[in-house]
Amino acid sequence: MRILAIGAHPDDIELQCAGTLALYKKQGHDVFMAVATNGDMGNFDVPPAELALVREAEFKEACFVIGAAPIWMGYPDEKLENTLANRMAFVDMIRSVDPDLVMTHGPNDYHPDHRYTHQLVWDALPLAGVGSLKTAHPATSRQVTLYFMDNVGGIGFQPTEFVDITETIDAKKAALAKHASQLRIFRQLMDVDLLDVVETMGKFRGYQAGSRYAEGFTKVEAWYRGLSRRLLPESAGTSTFDYKMERGGAQ
């Protein structure tokens, strides 16, 4: 399969679904990571033009860790809008991948860039398959299935499906660690360790999923987008239940 994750900022994908993407790649699927904005407003002590170059380089390094192909859209940070021109750019970007499955932000995430990315993806996906609507790339060859990835901190998000990322949690952390400029500013301004956020959220969703670490998703149920089979990857790891049974049962 061809898997496309679309985030608003550099590091959004790594925070929310990189474990699942690494698992897809490990299982032989083609993985693509697209970022809408250039992250140039993220650090108060680095000029925006300089920071955009830093954030792009960090993003590409993170993609290399996952084994994903990077797509850098380059919109200004904090200024993304749901315009027709931007929608058509998203249509063409999606067509360039021709994915089986897309992951992006949900509609109630905390940041406007996240919510506008959500809306642009939602509006672009049906158009990506309309052959009479011309862009630089041909229409998608299938109706694309859409999943929403977790909100930051899991706030206001109720997963309908989980992926056991126990075997790829280290890859997820390694990819996020490439975003050194973002990790630094979160520690400096908010006393937040983003690597600890990944660890904590992974365990939290893992408790819900019955595994050591997990990521949560909501599959979009909309006309002509449903499937009777699961597209999220199954892990070869040991579940909490199996782990206990191997040792003679829970005490």
Side-chain angles (χ1 to χ4, degrees):
M1 292 194 301
R2 297 171 69 81
I3 313 302
L4 171 61
I6 306 173
H9 306 107
D11 82 353
D12 285 338
I13 295 171
E14 291 82 348
L15 281 165
Q16 303 308 107
C17 67
T20 298
L21 297 181
L23 194 57
Y24 271 126
K25 186 64 181 180
K26 188 175 181 180
Q27 294 176 357
H29 300 287
D30 296 321
V31 176
F32 301 80
M33 294 167 58
V35 168
T37 74
N38 60 16
D40 64 350
M41 294 287 123
N43 294 38
F44 71 93
D45 54 354
V46 181
E50 178 183 340
L51 183 59
L53 296 175
V54 171
R55 299 300 301 276
E56 182 177 6
E58 290 173 344
F59 167 66
K60 290 180 177 177
E61 290 175 2
C63 288
F64 182 79
V65 171
I66 299 297
I71 300 174
W72 184 257
M73 300 189 77
Y75 287 100
D77 191 12
E78 312 295 330
K79 301 174 184 177
L80 189 63
E81 296 180 288
N82 184 19
T83 65
L84 180 59
N86 290 349
R87 187 189 309 169
M88 294 309 298
F90 271 68
V91 167
D92 194 58
M93 183 273 290
I94 292 167
R95 286 177 168 183
S96 73
V97 175
D98 192 19
D100 295 272
L101 180 148
V102 167
M103 298 175 173
T104 196
H105 301 282
N108 68 331
D109 211 336
Y110 81 103
H111 196 289
D113 285 344
H114 293 196
R115 296 193 300 274
Y116 281 124
T117 297
H118 156 82
Q119 194 65 55
L120 285 162
V121 173
W122 176 269
D123 293 345
L125 270 181
L127 303 185
V130 178
S132 297
L133 195 64
K134 302 301 182 183
T135 66
H137 294 89
T140 54
S141 61
R142 61 185 68 81
Q143 185 64 43
V144 182
T145 299
L146 178 61
Y147 279 87
F148 298 147
M149 58 191 184
D150 216 335
N151 289 345
V152 177
I155 297 171
F157 190 86
Q158 183 58 53
T160 59
E161 295 186 40
F162 294 94
V163 176
D164 180 350
I165 61 163
T166 303
E167 61 186 280
T168 56
I169 184 67
D170 289 339
K172 175 172 178 153
K173 290 180 180 178
L176 180 60
K178 295 298 183 181
H179 293 276
S181 64
Q182 188 77 333
L183 268 63
R184 176 182 68 82
I185 210 69
F186 265 75
R187 284 194 300 267
Q188 186 173 345
L189 294 182
M190 301 172 63
D191 194 25
V192 170
D193 181 351
L194 289 180
L195 292 174
D196 182 65
V197 170
V198 164
E199 174 79 14
T200 302
M201 278 300 301
K203 285 185 175 181
F204 169 58
R205 293 305 189 197
Y207 294 144
Q208 295 175 305
S211 60
R212 289 186 180 89
Y213 296 94
E215 290 173 340
F217 300 88
T218 296
K219 180 178 173 294
V220 171
E221 301 295 345
W223 169 249
Y224 212 60
R225 298 190 192 182
L227 289 175
S228 60
R229 62 189 177 92
R230 176 182 166 101
L231 289 184
L232 292 178
E234 299 286 355
S235 172
T238 303
S239 71
T240 302
F241 178 77
D242 291 339
Y243 180 79
K244 289 176 179 177
M245 292 302 292
E246 288 172 1
R247 284 151 181 77
Q251 302 299 315

